[in-house]
Amino acid sequence: MKYLHRHTPDDIRSVPYGFTYKEMVEVIGESEARSLYSSLYKHSPKKEYLTMSLKTVYKDGNTEKYVFELLDGKCIEMVFIKRQDGGTVCVSTQVGCSVGCIFCESGRNGFVRNLTPSEIVQQVILLRRKVNRIVFMGMGEPLFNYSNFIKAIHILRDRNGLNFPTDGITVSTVGPVEQLKKLREEHLKIQLTISLHATTQATRNRIIPNMHRYDINDVVNEALSHAKRHNRKVVFAYLFLQGINDKPSDVRQLARWFRGKNVMLNLLEYNPTSNTQIKKPAKQEMTSFKQQLERAGLEVTMRISHGRNIKAACGQLANKYNEKNK
Ligand code: SF4
């Protein structure tokens, strides 16, 4: 409640996508809030309420990549994957990223800035498509923009607005431990995916360099505790990198952590980026690794990547436009 007093009616009217219905009512009263919320969420978005614009769209089969330009000239990318009845939207939470995963373009130029709740929400609004799943897997590490990310979820699920079902929302994170602890205590039934990608600290430090201050065992234990607390399966994403994280000792450690737990391991295929040090593994090696994991008693899926031709697959969202803007 304490932050409510800082907002004025002008704040609400100038960035209306950044507020929950309740916040609006507190500042501008119920009647104006109701009519504003209805124009924001029940009709096509009006220009005067938007703080970003669609710059370009790329299409590749059932995948579309949207590039949005923000008020300060920075750009972000968002991906939509069309399914039979609606689709999945993969939204960004930051311009750039500070984590620096070696397999990802988003962090190549480092962190630029956090997105505001309004900029996160507008990605879904500007899409103007039927969405049945929202995944926070675009540019940026959502938990490093914690309060804006959580606020955006509250706005998206607001009953008076989009009323998006919370269990249709997934957050994918490299797992900063303090934020995982906070997330566990939120009353939000969102799906948690941890980008693990390694079984030893040394390998993880190599793949996800800027997470070295977090002990890999702490990351795993926090995520398992989240699964327990919410009685919900946690997904651990594991990017298969031949010769780096596919040893028999990796299988043994994954089994030690996850056998018998409410966990699914999602084996991901590497999507080519500008890092030429990483070679694309052969399908058969990946399948054999999956079989070893299954024999060790783990539940494993292998994800098919969409949108490689338009650089919209995982790890390929980049700061191309921002480089030009610098
Ligand atoms: S994979 Fe995610 S956390 Fe890692 S650099 Fe890319 S955007 Fe950041």
Side-chain angles (χ1 to χ4, degrees), residues 97 99-101 103-104 106-107 138-141 174:
C97 184
V99 180
C101 301
F103 53 83
C104 176
S106 301
M139 294 166 72
E141 163 51 57
V174 288

Side-chain angles (χ1 to χ4, degrees), residues 21 31 44 46 53 67 71 95 102 123 149 155 165 202 220 245 269 280 287 295 297 305 307-308 312:
Y21 181 71
S31 141
S44 302
K46 280 193 192 154
S53 58
V67 181
L71 272 189
V95 182
I102 59 165
Q123 293 172 60
F149 152 72
I155 298 168
V220 167
N245 63 6
E269 204 180 353
K280 196 169 149 30
T287 310
R295 277 198 297 273
S305 271
R308 274 200 201 129

Side-chain angles (χ1 to χ4, degrees), residues 94 96-108 137-142 144 172-174 195 197 207-208 211 314-315 317:
Q94 296 181 316
C97 184
S98 62
V99 180
C101 301
I102 59 165
F103 53 83
C104 176
E105 292 290 0
S106 301
R108 203 158 49 87
M137 289 187 192
M139 294 166 72
E141 163 51 57
F144 283 153
S172 175
T173 171
V174 288
S195 297
H197 310 320
I207 302 174
I208 313 179
M211 283 295 285
C314 281
L317 297 186

